[in-house]
Amino acid sequence: MKNYSGVMVFVEQKNKEIHRVSYELLGKARELADQINEEVVCCLCGPSEIDANELIYRGADKVFHVQDEEIFGNPEVMTYVENIVKIIEEKKPEICLFGATSFGRSIAPRVAATLKCGLTADCTGLAIDEEDMKLVQIRPAFSENILAHIKSQYLPQMATVRYKEFDEAKRDESKTGEIINFSSVKIKNNPIEVLEEITEEVFNITDARVVVSAGKGLKSPEDFKMIEELAAVLGGVVGSSRPLVEDGFISKAHQVGYSGNRVKPNLYIACGISGAPQHQAGMKEADMILAINSDPSAPIFNIADYGIVGDIYEIVPQMIEKIKNKKA
Amino acid sequence: MRIIVLMKQVPDMEKVKFDREKGVIDRKSAGTEINPFDLNALEAAVQIKETRGAEVVAVCMGPPSAEVALKEAISRGADRGILLSDRKFGGSDVKATAYTLAAGIKAIGEYDLVFAGIQTVDGDTGQVGAEVAQFLDIPHIYFVEKIVEANEESVTVVTDIWDGVYVKKMKLPGLVTVTKDINSPRLPAFKDKMKSRKAVIPAWGMDELAEFLDETETGRKGSATMVKKIEVPKAVHRKGLLWRDNMDTALNEFMDILVDKKVIEVE
């Protein structure tokens, strides 16, 4: 019998709500598990109230639910690591997947170092090598310029996986599976204390269907009003390139790019954005891209489906009017 | 108080070339620089040094030529630099790199805080910091965008994590990785630049680290992952219909596309 078996998904939750990346991982995990003839299992750390059945409906054969009403209510890395390590050591999955969210990327390396196994960061592709049935982990590196194919030499084969890269597992209430509850491990004298969550505006650019972004072509912070209006008539949200965030025009939650958010909307409109590689890294996977820029040689036009060479101060207001007329 | 800053020398990403046919990175095609995020880590350490006094030690793992990165760190406010360099460290993955850096930190002796950038622009993993912390058996906080307070006992920081912004306090010793938002790194003054040229950078290899480093845990041997293949994907190129004049026609045509693609719902 093999020592290690199964594809484990770490399920991320906040306030009892399951992060959607976990459903994407479940979809991929099912595919991989079927290829190697193994089970899909979940490691869920959170209050007992969370309905673990949802994970069964999304394709898990087993859910290991580490229950605690308090300690999983904060992004406290040490506590999560301790509990996840305990489950992995006991259940010995062959493959272990984490969402490459800020939280996943903060805990997974610590889990891997504890177990002395490998960890591949921020994967955009996962496949089984048919020759040795091992996991091939594909990830961009060198600021998105190359794709590396990586294999782990130890078990479990562990990776963090980029959000919005795979489709969510379909929900099917007729699916059955097993939920096994575990009690939590608490850390004595935890060196880290979470003092408070600074509640800021709840704004999530990564889920938007339409993103209208502005770049250096925008002259003053007030001019974001017209960008906001265009986003509003299209049912979308406002994005920004890095320089405007640095100059304090708009908050970081709106930043699109390598060091900001990666978005994949149905429509991305780039207004006055030249299109540096760092910006492209955050938006090049949009379904449709429209670029508006007065400089016809701006690199943004190379990756845009449609381009308008012109002044955003003339075009954006006209576009708002035309959309309003269409909808009227 | 002693603060250690982890640094990496990386190729200049604006200039580095990639060979699609061979699937290789042509490192000679560009110069090198300090990983940009590490400059934020260094600046954060130097700011603490300025307000309450501290020794700042920059640590870099790399070839002998990476010495220049540590000299630059000194010109930017580090008190000294230590290079971890040995042929046997070559080919290290995240685990082996973190293990080797942790050995270097142990060899320095006492320390209070370890700073690192959130990721490097070449490896792009963002995993080394947390693994170093685990190998040192100290806590870590990632994605730090502000230091509220730092003293010998603890550090209080603002961190952007878990779809929120949190204030966390960590007992020291501990490790922190910083984002670009934490500060704007200063440029070195001319006289500091000149002075740093004369700095002597000790290079520690297997022999110097013997007490803290097991040969089987570093380099290719100590790595848990292997790169099997490198692909250089074609730059994304879209068909690009470009309107240059007659904005009214352009916008009308684009409206039709939006309706056609159901971005705008028309009754």
Side-chain angles (χ1 to χ4, degrees):
Chain A
M1 212 184 104
K2 262 205 292 187
N3 267 335
Y4 287 83
S5 172
V7 181
M8 181 183 275
V9 170
F10 168 70
V11 177
E12 187 173 329
Q13 61 87 27
K14 180 177 180 178
N15 301 328
K16 294 166 214 150
E17 200 173 308
I18 292 169
H19 196 292
R20 305 213 78 87
V21 74
S22 306
Y23 298 144
E24 297 172 3
L25 293 182
L26 272 169
K28 194 69 197 176
R30 183 77 266 168
E31 220 178 284
L32 299 170
D34 288 347
Q35 270 174 280
I36 54 175
N37 248 322
E38 288 178 13
E39 286 184 327
V40 173
V41 299
C42 285
C43 172
L44 167 66
C45 296
S48 54
E49 268 175 71
I50 299 179
D51 187 9
N53 278 309
E54 186 62 30
L55 301 167
I56 305 275
Y57 301 154
R58 301 274 188 167
D61 297 300
K62 284 185 185 131
V63 179
F64 308 129
H65 188 175
V66 186
Q67 299 194 337
D68 196 291
E69 310 312 311
E70 278 165 43
I71 59 170
F72 300 125
N74 272 319
E76 206 296 282
V77 171
M78 310 297 278
T79 302
Y80 270 89
V81 168
E82 193 91 8
N83 282 281
I84 296 165
V85 165
K86 193 178 150 236
I87 293 289
I88 295 176
E89 281 179 335
E90 196 179 319
K91 298 297 171 187
K92 294 196 168 27
E94 191 178 342
I95 293 173
C96 217
L97 307 176
F98 293 76
T101 58
S102 57
F103 192 52
R105 295 188 77 167
S106 188
I107 52 178
R110 202 148 186 137
V111 171
T114 309
L115 298 167
K116 296 256 178 90
C117 64
L119 176 65
T120 305
D122 208 19
C123 293
T124 53
L126 294 169
I128 299 289
D129 182 338
E130 281 176 11
E131 268 170 39
D132 58 5
M133 300 313 259
K134 294 283 182 212
L135 184 68
V136 183
Q137 302 146 55
I138 302 159
R139 66 175 302 261
F142 279 79
S143 302
E144 310 259 326
N145 281 297
I146 62 157
L147 280 176
H149 293 233
I150 292 169
K151 271 182 164 177
S152 309
Q153 337 220 63
Y154 299 106
L155 296 174
Q157 305 165 86
M158 202 177 279
T160 64
V161 180
R162 195 175 281 184
Y163 180 34
K164 297 244 165 193
E165 205 59 47
F166 299 121
D167 293 332
E168 283 185 18
K170 293 219 166 52
R171 192 174 187 280
D172 176 359
E173 286 199 29
S174 70
K175 282 187 181 149
T176 55
E178 197 182 344
I179 298 167
I180 305 151
N181 294 331
F182 289 78
S183 53
S184 64
V185 188
K186 290 185 178 72
I187 296 177
K188 280 181 210 132
N189 302 319
N190 192 333
I192 296 182
E193 200 185 335
V194 179
L195 300 179
E196 61 171 320
E197 179 175 9
I198 305 170
T199 37
E200 55 162 27
E201 46 180 325
V202 185
F203 174 77
N204 190 349
I205 196 167
T206 51
D207 292 333
R209 284 177 57 247
V210 176
V211 176
V212 183
S213 284
K216 277 193 273 191
L218 203 75
K219 292 180 188 122
S220 86
E222 290 73 46
D223 299 341
F224 255 113
K225 282 209 184 80
M226 76 180 179
I227 304 295
E228 267 164 30
E229 199 182 345
L230 178 56
V233 293
L234 287 167
V237 301
V238 173
S240 169
S241 68
R242 181 173 174 78
L244 300 191
V245 174
E246 271 181 350
D247 291 345
F249 280 30
I250 194 162
S251 79
K252 192 169 181 227
H254 295 266
Q255 187 184 323
V256 173
Y258 176 68
S259 56
N261 299 283
R262 288 192 170 89
V263 297
K264 252 178 153 177
N266 301 14
L267 171 64
Y268 188 89
I269 304 184
C271 306
I273 294 177
S274 63
Q278 287 80 357
H279 185 73
Q280 293 188 14
M283 45 67 77
K284 65 184 178 200
E285 287 181 58
D287 294 342
M288 193 201 322
I289 297 169
L290 167 71
I292 308 168
N293 202 300
S294 52
D295 174 9
S297 65
I300 192 80
F301 288 123
N302 295 333
I303 62 153
D305 302 284
Y306 304 99
I308 301 177
V309 181
D311 182 357
I312 58 169
Y313 286 88
E314 282 172 31
I315 293 160
V316 171
Q318 281 184 47
M319 193 184 281
I320 294 167
E321 279 316 304
K322 287 196 187 284
I323 295 167
K324 279 183 178 165
N325 291 340
K326 275 271 177 213
K327 286 162 88 177
Chain B
M1 192 176 194
R2 182 181 281 155
I3 305 174
I4 289 166
V5 183
L6 301 180
M7 323 204 87
K8 188 180 183 194
Q9 194 183 41
V10 298
D12 180 346
M13 282 301 152
E14 306 274 311
K15 300 200 182 90
V16 70
K17 300 257 185 319
F18 302 91
D19 187 330
R20 192 175 311 140
E21 301 268 289
K22 295 191 194 123
V24 291
I25 302 139
D26 180 10
R27 286 192 184 255
K28 289 199 184 107
S29 63
T32 57
E33 59 182 20
I34 295 177
N35 177 45
F37 296 101
D38 299 347
L39 292 179
N40 297 92
L42 178 62
E43 175 70 29
V46 171
Q47 284 181 12
I48 294 173
K49 169 181 162 178
E50 285 168 346
T51 49
R52 51 170 304 116
E55 187 201 19
V56 176
V57 186
V59 176
C60 174
M61 176 174 158
S65 58
E67 183 189 88
V68 293
L70 289 164
K71 287 192 173 177
E72 186 184 338
I74 290 171
S75 76
R76 288 169 178 269
D79 295 289
R80 56 191 173 111
I82 292 164
L83 179 67
L84 308 181
S85 192
D86 197 304
R87 282 186 175 277
K88 287 180 176 147
F89 300 164
S92 289
D93 74 340
V94 169
K95 173 177 155 275
T97 301
Y99 176 84
T100 310
L101 286 169
I105 294 170
K106 284 177 192 164
I108 290 170
E110 300 266 302
Y111 62 91
D112 302 284
L113 244 175
V114 182
F115 274 110
I118 184 54
Q119 66 197 67
T120 57
V121 293
D122 56 353
D124 265 345
T125 75
Q127 297 181 157
V128 171
E131 296 214 5
V132 167
Q134 177 61 35
F135 287 128
L136 292 171
D137 201 20
I138 59 171
H140 78 271
I141 301 179
Y142 259 29
F143 307 103
V144 168
E145 48 183 39
K146 191 181 170 191
I147 308 234
V148 183
E149 220 217 310
N151 56 50
E152 266 93 0
E153 276 80 52
S154 69
V155 61
T156 305
V157 300
V158 176
T159 159
D160 187 344
I161 195 168
W162 220 35
D163 296 324
V165 178
Y166 289 83
V167 182
K168 289 185 179 184
K169 187 176 177 180
M170 175 169 68
K171 273 192 210 135
L172 300 182
L175 181 145
V176 156
T177 68
V178 305
T179 70
K180 269 204 163 301
D181 300 301
I182 192 162
N183 53 41
S184 310
R186 282 166 285 185
L187 288 170
F190 181 70
K191 70 167 178 24
D192 294 331
K193 234 175 174 169
M194 294 313 286
K195 218 164 71 187
S196 73
R197 283 193 188 168
K198 295 193 196 98
V200 178
I201 308 289
W204 294 352
M206 279 309 306
D207 292 343
E208 288 78 6
L209 296 177
E211 195 187 329
F212 307 98
L213 190 62
D214 183 340
E215 205 183 309
T216 59
E217 298 279 351
T218 187
R220 226 163 250 115
K221 253 191 239 169
S223 293
T225 55
M226 281 281 272
V227 178
K228 296 289 177 187
K229 192 172 94 182
I230 298 276
E231 240 183 284
V232 184
K234 274 190 194 157
V236 195
H237 220 94
R238 303 201 183 204
K239 67 173 158 49
L241 174 58
L242 201 62
W243 292 286
R244 286 170 179 269
D245 34 47
N246 201 338
M247 287 310 121
D248 199 57
T249 318
L251 285 170
N252 285 337
E253 284 177 29
F254 189 65
M255 285 308 116
D256 293 339
I257 292 161
L258 290 184
V259 173
D260 190 46
K261 302 267 181 195
K262 299 202 162 54
V263 177
I264 306 178
E265 302 281 345
V266 186
E267 312 235 332

